[in-house]
Amino acid sequence: MKKRPVVIKVGGSLLTLKALIRELDEFLDHVGTHQVVLLTGGGLAVKSLRNMKGKARLPEEQAHWQCIRLMSDLTRSLCEQLPNSVAVSTWDEVEAAWKSDRYPCFMVESFLRTDEENKNHLPHTWDVSSDSIAAHLAAKYKANLILLKACELPARQVKAETLVKKGIVDAWFPQAVKKVKRWEVRNLPGGTAPEIALDLSSIAGRGRSRRKPRRVPR
């Protein structure tokens, strides 16, 4: 049976991890498929935007798109650091990256702008963060999903709604992830908590069955 691709969202808080690139590269070696799609959260930049007070505070819709631009900037920054990766903004470019044995780093704004034409597009509120955006992308292209976090995770399998209550994922995530067949939330080994697999099923293979992209000059 053909394996589904995997959307991997790298939490914004992990972007300050000194060993991020090494840890991420090792993690990708164990995912079980070379067909991965990477994107990042917004990190401290989005938190600062959300915490703006008074007259300087942006309307939710304007803040929504500003946060998406910040996500894209950080995804591009990750792409510039991760060996053998390439920035993409369409699924055709994702598949082209796989064919050339590169890691596609997905810039989400163009995808979300086009998705506005659909009835089930994501709402423009603070209920939606990069968690739901990653889930929405995975659902759209029938991919599995891994959320990489830098926080303490439950030691047992829990529902998406429980993760919302614990502040681990955004409020819209239970809706966004409904059409994702398999998903999990994990820590990188070098993150703030031990590596913990969660949720409906484990989708990260433990062997090195993934065809590792060849290193090419950047």
Side-chain angles (χ1 to χ4, degrees), residues 5-17:
V6 183
V7 171
I8 300 175
K9 193 219 80 168
V10 181
S13 297
L14 285 169
L15 299 178
T16 59
L17 187 66

Side-chain angles (χ1 to χ4, degrees), residues 4-196:
R4 288 173 175 250
V6 183
V7 171
I8 300 175
K9 193 219 80 168
V10 181
S13 297
L14 285 169
L15 299 178
T16 59
L17 187 66
K18 290 183 179 179
L20 172 63
I21 300 305
R22 175 176 57 81
E23 297 283 359
L24 182 57
D25 199 43
E26 291 179 3
F27 179 84
L28 291 172
D29 280 345
H30 291 81
V31 171
T33 175
H34 79 289
Q35 292 187 327
V36 299
V37 182
L38 297 166
L39 67 155
T40 73
L44 294 175
V46 166
K47 290 180 181 178
S48 296
L49 186 64
R50 184 169 186 171
N51 290 334
M52 290 175 65
K53 302 295 183 182
K55 295 181 180 179
R57 186 159 186 162
L58 297 174
E60 276 194 313
E61 180 159 357
Q62 186 177 349
H64 171 80
W65 291 110
Q66 182 64 39
C67 289
I68 288 168
R69 292 187 193 99
L70 289 171
M71 279 181 60
S72 294
D73 289 343
L74 291 171
T75 298
R76 186 179 296 279
S77 178
L78 176 66
C79 180
E80 291 171 351
Q81 298 175 67
L82 184 66
N84 205 32
S85 61
V86 59
V88 301
S89 57
T90 68
W91 202 257
D92 286 342
E93 291 175 346
V94 166
E95 293 178 341
W98 293 336
K99 289 178 181 178
S100 62
D101 289 329
R102 288 177 177 265
Y103 298 123
C105 295
F106 202 92
M107 318 289 285
V108 296
E109 183 171 4
S110 179
F111 161 71
L112 293 174
R113 293 284 187 186
T114 301
D115 194 61
E116 288 290 291
E117 301 173 2
N118 299 322
K119 290 182 179 180
N120 66 337
H121 69 77
L122 293 172
H124 307 157
T125 72
W126 287 116
D127 285 346
V128 171
S129 76
S130 54
D131 298 327
S132 286
I133 291 171
H136 193 66
L137 179 66
K140 174 74 173 180
Y141 294 105
K142 296 180 173 58
N144 294 328
L145 174 67
I146 299 174
L147 301 180
L148 291 179
K149 296 281 185 174
C151 62
E152 185 176 354
L153 301 176
R156 61 181 179 83
Q157 294 184 349
V158 296
K159 296 180 179 179
E161 289 79 5
T162 301
L163 295 176
V164 173
K165 291 178 182 178
K166 292 180 176 294
I168 295 173
V169 297
D170 64 62
W172 190 257
F173 184 75
Q175 298 296 320
V177 83
K178 281 182 177 179
K179 293 183 179 180
V180 178
K181 186 174 182 180
R182 293 182 178 181
W183 62 275
E184 63 177 318
V185 183
R186 298 181 68 175
N187 286 121
L188 280 177
T192 59
E195 185 176 18
I196 303 170

